[in-house]
């Protein structure tokens, strides 16, 4: 409900909100400009009486003196029967320039208030303000959900760049948008007399009939500072029944033109004060600095409208058109999908295609359409469930748990649940856990224990697919890849070969930046910026599925470098290791922002084996500040597999690396990298107690051994690898 409340008003009113907020932003800068241009009032004790006398000397036909919230004082007068208006210097009463209302400001104001459509336009603008108010409130609540509660509202965001930008701008601007939209609705209600209005004082019934009293002789004008003046209107010349009208911040009233006596006075009501405060908050008139801030915040709305539409389009595109989807009553496998942004549907399409190719009849549908009474021929139900915010159901899974809870008995066909999430969030795959728990309470038999896919990992998805295939008694290979970005031709400029003596060929491959023109770079179609630890996607010949390699270099190094080892039957690794200098491959960058040293000066422990040294070497290469970095590296043999041997020695001399500890599994000592950690347990424990971050890269078996070793090392201090992971101090990049 909350997401629908945020999405649909945004999509429907996007263009209107853009027009209203952009025009409002422009108008908000004008009060500040007026303050800058207005003649300064150097005497804070200047009274309305003195000001009026000064003006009357130079403009005997003065009709009205008006003070704007910016402090600009304008005089309207008649001279030889001709009207005039001038901005005056309050210190002298002399005009400094003719007053000419800005045609641009008038045009922009009409656009902002009514879209040039009078009352119908005002109501349309009010609808836009109401939509913005709903979007601001629902956006606040959704952001709190996404970040794990109000206390974590400004915590670091994760996920796709467009989504992060949308929320980051919202977090900065939402207060201003709330204020602007709420005050706009109040002002519209005031325009249509839907709220109480201040009443004008009744015209006096008795006047002296005298004329000619100078403003300087009038007590009320002498007691009123110019800073409090709104408007002073003079009586019509020759009309003995007319009077002075004075409007100030505190009220308004009439003065006798012959005696200066106050004939009628009405104090400003509390409601008028509220109305004027709301007008000031909305326009910035009288508080130009606030207008500037609100104007800058208002510019966030067009940005969020654009990114919101892009996110909606991306979500629509992310849900693929699944071909060969049979009816629910004809399928032997029911595939239910719980997705928020649409990415889980991509995995569902891959699974659907693989099962269909294996001879199954598949019906794929959102989890919200769960209807077991329709699955007359189904032999199994497979649920792919993402998690939204603090463990809640994603958009396409609404109502699933309620339907499951309402069933009198568990469905006859068995269940498999696969959760999708990001293990950096405290509620990792919590919704999939809830589904599994309720299924267990219902007695719903499960084909497989619940499994998870972290950060859309194709490798973890493929492993789960093999487990599912074993249960089904057939081979099931799930080769899933998200949408492939634009690739670029990368030319190999050098290579260093390793591992031949150990029958495990590997190489450090260095590629040149692809050459692109200025306009291509300006349009954002170049390779893009990257850092060590990001991923290089390579599309091998004869395949549309990219393989990913951790980068051992950053943008500032001037080249693209990876470490590759040959895998038996590996299509991509074989092609890469067959490259000669001058050959090219197609590649693209995929950012991996979570796998890199955190900011600051605290120590870093780098642990890797084999080609997992790549990003760790990149981190050392980029450590120009001499931050403490301790490298633990495992290889087969020092004469065959010691990647970056010479660089490691140089980095130790220059302070890029504090210490290097190697382990070799094919020597007489036969040690692994986790063994070196245990040997160096005292130093490891001390570094972690000092706040060190641990970065691990390499095979999953190696990573599991490292986790076990660190668990033993950290136990005396009451710490665990899981604790460090939750704090962002233990990060893995495994394959």
């Amino acid at each position: 409900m909350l997401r629908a409340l945020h999405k649909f008003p945004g999509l429907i009113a996007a263009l209107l909100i853009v027009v209203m907020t952009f025009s409002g932003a422009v108008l908000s800068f004008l009060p500040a400009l007026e303050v800058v241009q207005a003649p300064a009032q150097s005497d804070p004790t200047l009274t309305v009486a003195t000001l009026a006398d000064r003006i009357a000397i130079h403009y005997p036909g003065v009709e009205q003196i008006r003070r704007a919230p910016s402090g600009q004082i304008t005089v309207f007068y008649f001279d030889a029967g001709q009207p005039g208006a001038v901005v005056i210097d309050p210190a002298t009463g002399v005009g400094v320039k003719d007053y000419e209302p800005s045609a641009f400001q008038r045009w922009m104001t009409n656009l902002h208030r009514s879209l040039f459509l009078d009352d119908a336009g005002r109501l349309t603008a009010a609808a836009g303000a109401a939509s913005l108010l709903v979007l601001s409130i629902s956006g606040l609540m959704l952001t709190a959900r996404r970040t794990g509660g109000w206390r974590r509202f400004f915590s670091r965001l994760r996920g796709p760049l467009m989504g992060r930008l949308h929320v980051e701008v919202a977090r900065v601007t939402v207060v201003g948008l709330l204020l602007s939209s709420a005050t706009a609705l109040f002002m519209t209600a005031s325009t249509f007399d839907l709220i109480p209005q201040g009443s004008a004082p009744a015209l006096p019934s008795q006047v002296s009939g005298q004329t000619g009293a100078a403003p300087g002789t009038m007590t009320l004008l002498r007691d009123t500072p110019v800073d409090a003046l709104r408007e002073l209107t003079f009586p019509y010349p020759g009309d003995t029944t007319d009077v002075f009208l004075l409007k100030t911040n505190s009220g308004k009233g009439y003065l006798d033109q012959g005696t200066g006596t106050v004939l009628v006075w009405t104090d400003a009501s509390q409601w008028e004060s509220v109305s004027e405060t709301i007008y000031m908050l909305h326009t910035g008139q009288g508080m130009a600095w606030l207008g500037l801030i609100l104007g800058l915040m208002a510019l966030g709305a067009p940005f969020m409208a654009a990114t919101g539409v892009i996110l909606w389009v991306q979500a629509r595109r992310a849900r693929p058109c699944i071909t060969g989807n049979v009816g629910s009553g004809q399928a032997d496998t029911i595939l239910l999908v719980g997705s928020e942004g649409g990415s889980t549907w991509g995995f569902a399409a891959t699974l659907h295609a693989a099962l269909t190719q294996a001879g199954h009849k598949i019906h794929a549908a959102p989890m919200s359409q769960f209807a077991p009474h329709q699955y007359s021929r189904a032999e199994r139900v497979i649920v792919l469930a993402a998690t939204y915010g603090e463990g809640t159901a994603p958009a396409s899974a609404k109502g699933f748990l309620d339907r499951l809870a309402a069933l009198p008995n568990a469905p006859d066909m068995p269940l498999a649940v696969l959760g999708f999430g990001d293990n950096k969030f405290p509620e990792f795959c919590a919704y999939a856990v809830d589904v599994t728990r309720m299924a267990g309470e219902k007695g719903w038999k499960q084909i497989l224990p619940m499994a998870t896919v972290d950060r859309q990992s194709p490798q973890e998805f493929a492993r789960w697919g093999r487990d599912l295939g074993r249960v089904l008694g057939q081979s099931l290979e799930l080769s899933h890849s998200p949408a492939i970005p634009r690739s670029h031709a990368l030319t190999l400029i050098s290579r260093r070969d390793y591992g031949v003596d150990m029958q495990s060929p590997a190489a450090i491959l260095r590629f040149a930046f692809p050459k692109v023109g200025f306009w291509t770079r300006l349009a954002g179609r170049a390779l893009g910026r990257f850092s060590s630890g990001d991923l290089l996607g390579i599309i091998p010949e004869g395949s549309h599925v990219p393989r990913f390699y951790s980068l051992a270099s950053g943008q500032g190094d001037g080249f693209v470098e990876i470490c590759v080892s040959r895998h038996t039957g590996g299509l991509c690794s074989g092609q890469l290791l067959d490259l000669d200098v001058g050959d090219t491959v197609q590649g693209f960058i995929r950012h991996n922002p979570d796998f890199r040293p955190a900011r600051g000066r605290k120590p870093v422990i780098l642990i890797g084996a084999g080609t997992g040294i790549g990003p760790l070497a990149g981190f050392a290469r980029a450590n120009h500040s001499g931050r403490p970095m301790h490298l633990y590296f495992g290889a087969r043999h020092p004469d065959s597999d010691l990647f970056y041997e010479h660089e490691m020695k140089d980095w130790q001399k220059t302070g890029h690396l504090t210490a290097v500890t190697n382990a070799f599994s094919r020597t007489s000592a036969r040690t692994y990298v986790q063994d070196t950690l245990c040997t160096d347990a005292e130093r490891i424990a001390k570094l972690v107690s000092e706040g060190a971050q641990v970065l691990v890269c390499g095979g999953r078996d190696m990573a599991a051994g490292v986790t076990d070793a660190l668990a033993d090392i950290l136990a005396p201090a009451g710490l665990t690898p899981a604790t460090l992971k939750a704090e962002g101090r233990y990060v893995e990049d495994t394959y």
Side-chain angles (χ1 to χ4, degrees), residues 180-196:
S180 296
S181 55
T183 53
L185 290 172
F186 181 94
M187 292 171 64
T188 301
S190 177
T191 299
F192 287 97
D193 296 326
L194 299 178
I195 55 177

Side-chain angles (χ1 to χ4, degrees), residues 331-343:
D332 62 54
T333 302
I334 305 299
L335 179 56
L336 300 176
V337 183
S339 180
E340 178 65 30
S343 59

Side-chain angles (χ1 to χ4, degrees), residues 559-602:
F559 50 82
V560 179
E561 187 169 281
I562 58 176
C563 296
V564 182
S565 61
R566 188 184 295 274
H567 296 282
T568 303
L571 178 64
C572 192
S573 62
Q575 292 181 8
L576 287 171
L577 290 177
D578 287 341
L579 291 175
D580 292 323
V581 172
D583 291 343
T584 61
V585 292
Q586 292 293 319
F588 59 89
I589 298 296
R590 174 161 292 169
H591 296 291
N592 186 25
D594 291 327
F595 189 69
R596 62 192 56 179
R599 295 176 181 271
R601 292 281 304 167
K602 290 184 178 179

Side-chain angles (χ1 to χ4, degrees), residues 22-41:
F22 182 77
S23 58
V26 173
L27 289 171
S28 70
F29 286 91
L30 298 181
L33 183 62
E34 192 173 286
V35 168
V36 173
Q37 294 177 341
Q41 180 181 324

Side-chain angles (χ1 to χ4, degrees), residues 606-628:
L606 306 174
I607 305 172
T611 54
I613 187 63
L616 309 183
F619 299 149
R621 181 185 279 131
N623 185 26
H624 302 295
S625 64
R627 177 183 189 173

Side-chain angles (χ1 to χ4, degrees), residues 492-498 505-510 566 575-581:
L492 186 67
I493 55 177
S494 72
R495 60 177 295 162
R496 285 186 281 172
D497 292 287
Y498 298 85
I508 298 175
L509 303 180
R510 181 174 292 185
R566 188 184 295 274
Q575 292 181 8
L576 287 171
L577 290 177
D578 287 341
L579 291 175
D580 292 323
V581 172

Side-chain angles (χ1 to χ4, degrees), residues 335-418:
L335 179 56
L336 300 176
V337 183
S339 180
E340 178 65 30
S343 59
T344 309
W345 279 102
F347 288 90
T350 299
L351 178 59
H352 189 289
L355 289 172
T356 300
Q357 188 176 5
H360 295 278
K361 293 182 179 180
I362 315 299
H363 172 72
M367 290 177 67
S368 58
Q369 296 179 11
F370 176 55
H373 64 279
Q374 298 179 3
Y375 309 152
S376 57
R377 299 186 181 181
E379 299 175 10
R380 65 195 63 86
V381 174
I382 300 174
V383 171
L384 306 186
T387 295
Y388 180 76
E390 295 182 84
T392 57
S396 69
K398 284 297 185 181
F400 175 85
L401 290 178
D402 293 335
R403 289 185 176 87
L404 178 56
L407 292 178
N409 300 297
D412 295 332
M413 69 293 293
L415 170 71
V417 179
L418 180 63

Side-chain angles (χ1 to χ4, degrees), residues 348 479 520:
S479 297
T520 300

